[in-house]
DNA sequence: CTTGACCTTCCCATGATGGGAAGCCCTATC
DNA sequence: GATAGGGCTTCCCATCATGGGAAGGTCAAG
């Protein structure tokens, strides 16, 4: 029994906050925890292992939905590695698209900032650019959902 | 009068959706629009210019709060260019941090995927990694708020 | 037996955006 | 003149992952 932990201990051991553990239970990502007579949740090693899995997947940016799939595959002894790879590759694509979007913003912003005199005068290429109606400023559609993905 | 437009036209002309125009008005980013007797919002060239400014700033990833500041500076003839630059530089820093976070995720994920056999066997380095308790998987804190920013 | 740290549930907030309902307005067509 | 449609209004809800906080129950140490 000494390997059963309260939610606070499970949180500290797994790196997932108590708030989020309850949340994951509510949305069905993890099963309902055992309870003490007083209603306290109890977690054993297996549950904490799962929570760590979840935290690591979150660190890699996987969505909760993706993690649900990954957990299913993890528990499925007959899984095909390509199924796991597919989930990971899908997420990788999304990350690359996001990175491309952000990098293009960085690029544009760096150019604007480089042109700024950075003094007390009101003249400012940044505002000039933003207010210039002839300026597409990153075109209309960059990055909304799927800007072309080329970087990385 | 022909230069006064309904919200739908203003949306089409500015690239900001009608939904968002109303939202920006509600949160005070833009002033309350003129109205027809029937209560329809009306937008003139100056308002549409402002909406375009907002759209361009959003395309650069500026938050609505930042845009509020930028609009204030834009309308302030006595602004100092360094004040604008400060807002932009702050945002640039946030973008760089975000990019570093995402790029490190991409990097980790690429390594995992590269090790995957991508076939019908259950053996999978991706799951192995996620379930490995000895594995820090991007350490504990990468990117939560401010991972060290080095990339870019 | 009190104190304080922990647990419970429930509600609300974030940020930017969209969906959709109920109802009013305006114009074109029959 | 009546009707159809499309556009406008407001209001509420959903997303996604996360946290804050209140009100109240539980438990261990002093």
């Amino acid at each position: 029994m000494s390997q059963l932990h309260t939610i606070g201990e499970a949180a500290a051991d797994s790196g997932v906050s108590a708030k989020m553990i309850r949340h994951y239970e509510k949305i069905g990502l993890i099963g309902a925890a055992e309870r003490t007579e007083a209603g306290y949740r109890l977690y054993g090693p297996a549950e904490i292992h799962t929570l760590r899995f979840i935290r690591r997947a979150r660190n890699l940016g996987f969505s909760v939905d993706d993690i649900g799939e990954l957990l299913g595959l993890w528990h499925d002894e007959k899984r095909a590695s390509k199924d796991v790879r597919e989930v990971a590759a899908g997420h990788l694509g999304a990350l690359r698209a996001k990175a491309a979007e952000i990098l293009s913003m960085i690029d544009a912003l760096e150019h604007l900032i480089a042109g700024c005199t950075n003094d007390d005068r009101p003249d400012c290429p940044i505002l000039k650019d933003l207010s210039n109606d002839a300026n597409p400023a990153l075109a209309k559609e960059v990055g909304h959902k799927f800007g072309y993905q080329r970087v990385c």
Side-chain angles (χ1 to χ4, degrees), chain A residues 47-144:
Chain A
E47 283 73 39
I48 290 175
H49 194 191
T50 297
L51 290 172
R52 290 208 180 107
F53 182 105
I54 291 171
R55 177 181 57 78
R56 275 182 223 106
R58 289 287 311 138
N59 283 150
L60 287 172
F62 282 100
S63 70
V64 167
D65 271 6
D66 279 351
I67 295 174
E69 268 194 79
L70 291 174
L71 284 174
L73 291 165
W74 186 34
H75 292 316
D76 178 5
E77 292 300 328
K78 291 192 280 293
R79 69 184 167 249
S81 70
K82 67 179 176 190
D83 290 341
V84 181
R85 187 192 168 110
E86 198 176 332
V87 175
H91 176 50
L92 180 57
L95 284 178
R96 282 176 171 155
K98 192 77 191 161
E101 182 184 339
I102 292 177
L103 290 175
S104 78
M105 288 177 180
I106 288 173
D107 198 51
L109 211 45
E110 277 175 344
H111 283 300
L112 290 181
I113 290 176
C116 181
T117 55
N118 194 30
D119 56 23
D120 294 322
R121 283 174 293 166
D123 214 43
C124 179
I126 301 173
L127 291 180
K128 201 174 296 174
D129 194 272
L130 288 172
S131 65
N132 178 4
D133 278 357
N135 179 343
L138 280 185
K140 275 188 192 65
E141 299 303 342
V142 155
H144 267 219

Side-chain angles (χ1 to χ4, degrees), chain A residues 21-22 24-32 43 50-51 54 71:
Chain A
I21 296 176
R22 294 192 196 98
Y24 291 152
E25 178 181 316
K26 189 167 52 183
I27 66 176
L29 182 65
I30 58 181
Y43 298 89
T50 297
L51 290 172
I54 291 171
L71 284 174

